Amino acid sequence: MKFGVCISNFENAVFLSQLGYSYIELGLQEIADLSDDEFLNLYKACQRNPIKAEVFNSCIRRYNIVGPNVDWDNIKIYIAKAIPRAYLLGAQIIVFGSGGARRVPDRFSREIAKQQIIDFLKFIGDFSAKFNIKIAIENLNNNECNILNTVEEELEYVEKCNLANVGVLADFYHMRVENEDFNVLKKVSNKLFHVHIANSNGRFYPKNIDEDNYKDFFAVLNEIGYDKRISIEARLVAETDYENAFNVLNIFL
């Protein structure tokens, strides 16, 4: 397994590499919002660093993909700009969390909402396939979004999309909040593209192996032979959190 960190830029990339991290995870919306000159500077910074931005989260923020007024014209323009930029920075995975964009409005049909999400996933999946990039659907707990709250639910969308590059992200924090059984990972093992982790008590960086149920989570990951990326998506309190978390996670390799 490879460990990475969700951060906003390449500022700490060298330091993270020295600690043993293999990649960083940036925000897709943020890089799409950059001017051409700003993106060029970011690209140059990427080339200088020992680890790359292999994963991007915050897939879409500005445009709702669910509801009565989905702006497909601007969504397509946004994706056509964001995905190539991510590719140039080294993207291999795009995380589809985007709780605000996919939230189902009050009194809006959930069946229509599901189809709208599937339509979006098919579009971004087809487009990203041109760049050999995979889309990982992220489970978000019900406090953050009112749809796609569990890994179990993700599998239904993956199957309906029926695209080789659209799969599942298992977020430990959200699974714990939703009290979802880790054994569900066995059902999605062939489509498990990515993993997020944080202490479920406050969403902080892991500090020791006994503070949360990390052991059972990694036991299932090891049982299904998961050997891809795990990103820490958590609140940073001190710079020492980076090293402490890496040491905790490295125990399970």
Side-chain angles (χ1 to χ4, degrees):
M1 286 181 270
K2 298 168 60 176
F3 299 131
V5 178
C6 298
I7 56 178
S8 59
N9 53 52
F10 285 96
E11 183 177 338
N12 289 323
V14 174
F15 173 62
L16 292 170
S17 174
Q18 291 170 345
L19 291 177
Y21 289 99
S22 300
Y23 67 94
I24 60 174
E25 182 169 329
L26 299 179
L28 188 66
Q29 183 76 58
E30 285 78 3
I31 67 162
D33 288 344
L34 296 175
S35 68
D36 289 343
D37 287 342
E38 288 170 333
F39 177 74
L40 179 59
N41 289 334
L42 183 67
Y43 175 77
K44 290 177 178 177
C46 172
Q47 299 308 301
R48 292 193 298 267
N49 281 297
I51 56 177
K52 307 303 179 188
E54 296 182 4
V55 185
F56 284 79
N57 55 40
S58 297
C59 174
I60 184 165
R61 286 183 176 177
R62 182 162 294 112
Y63 306 106
N64 292 333
I65 63 167
V66 167
N69 299 303
V70 177
D71 187 353
W72 267 107
D73 289 339
N74 277 315
I75 288 173
K76 290 177 180 179
I77 291 170
Y78 163 73
I79 294 299
K81 181 179 183 181
I83 298 299
R85 283 188 169 189
Y87 169 77
L88 289 172
L89 296 178
Q92 297 184 40
I93 299 282
I94 301 292
V95 173
F96 173 59
S98 306
R102 78 189 195 200
R103 175 175 289 276
V104 183
D106 293 341
R107 296 180 295 279
F108 189 76
S109 166
R110 289 189 70 84
E111 287 307 310
I112 294 175
K114 285 183 178 181
Q115 188 58 53
Q116 288 176 320
I117 292 173
I118 291 167
D119 290 343
F120 175 77
L121 288 168
K122 286 182 176 179
F123 172 73
I124 192 173
D126 282 333
F127 191 91
S128 298
K130 302 172 186 176
F131 300 89
N132 200 29
I133 293 175
K134 294 180 178 179
I135 306 299
I137 307 171
E138 183 177 19
N139 54 309
L140 300 175
N141 74 76
N142 195 56
N143 298 318
E144 297 188 18
C145 189
N146 60 1
I147 197 166
L148 274 168
N149 305 124
T150 65
V151 173
E152 181 89 38
E153 195 176 354
E154 290 176 80
L155 184 58
E156 175 187 353
Y157 288 74
V158 169
E159 291 174 343
K160 288 184 177 179
C161 284
N162 194 29
L163 293 174
N165 69 323
V166 175
V168 169
L169 184 155
D171 189 301
F172 173 87
Y173 169 79
H174 294 295
M175 291 183 77
R176 292 283 283 148
V177 173
E178 290 291 318
N179 197 30
E180 187 172 18
D181 192 326
F182 296 144
N183 284 310
V184 71
L185 301 178
K186 298 175 185 178
K187 293 177 64 174
V188 302
S189 60
N190 292 335
K191 278 290 191 176
L192 183 57
F193 289 171
H194 191 42
V195 170
H196 279 170
I197 196 165
N199 184 340
S200 63
N201 182 19
R203 205 169 191 173
F204 295 108
Y205 275 66
K207 287 185 171 59
N208 65 75
I209 61 172
D210 297 318
E211 69 186 8
D212 210 330
N213 198 6
Y214 304 132
K215 294 178 183 177
D216 288 349
F217 183 67
F218 276 92
V220 178
L221 289 179
N222 286 321
E223 182 179 344
I224 65 175
Y226 182 81
D227 61 355
K228 304 181 183 72
R229 302 172 187 83
I230 298 180
S231 294
I232 302 171
E233 186 182 33
R235 299 176 184 177
L236 186 72
V237 176
E239 198 170 73
T240 52
D241 288 350
Y242 291 133
E243 184 172 7
N244 291 338
F246 184 84
N247 291 335
V248 169
L249 299 180
N250 202 49
I251 291 171
F252 299 104
L253 290 182

